[in-house]
Amino acid sequence: MKLYKELQKNNNFVYAHTSGHANLDALQKFASSLKPKKLIPIHTEFKEEFTRYFDNVSVLDDDETMEIK
């Protein structure tokens, strides 16, 4: 929780969770409304496909970390 509050305070970090199975149109509308600097697809079998439909995707392997500055 402390890390989340630091990210939120210093980086305008927003944790956004969706449930269910969204279609591509819904995902694009959601991403467009959030305007994130990076999109990191998780909990999907086709994470590489996100690069075809979004400009700001970072695809990570399982257990791979990404440093947030």
Side-chain angles (χ1 to χ4, degrees), residues 12-18 26-39 56:
N12 194 25
F13 180 83
V14 175
Y15 175 82
H17 178 265
T18 61
L27 290 172
Q28 288 175 318
K29 286 179 183 177
F30 182 68
S32 176
S33 66
L34 288 179
K35 297 177 180 50
K37 291 180 184 177
K38 290 280 185 196
L39 278 174
N56 50 349

Side-chain angles (χ1 to χ4, degrees), residues 3 5-6 14 19-23 25-29 38 41-43 46-47 50 53-54 60-61 65:
L3 175 60
K5 289 185 184 239
E6 279 298 311
V14 175
S19 62
H21 299 272
N23 62 27
D25 185 53
L27 290 172
Q28 288 175 318
K29 286 179 183 177
K38 290 280 185 196
I42 58 169
H43 194 62
F46 307 105
K47 58 188 172 188
F50 278 70
Y53 304 102
F54 301 94
L60 303 176
D61 292 326
T65 59

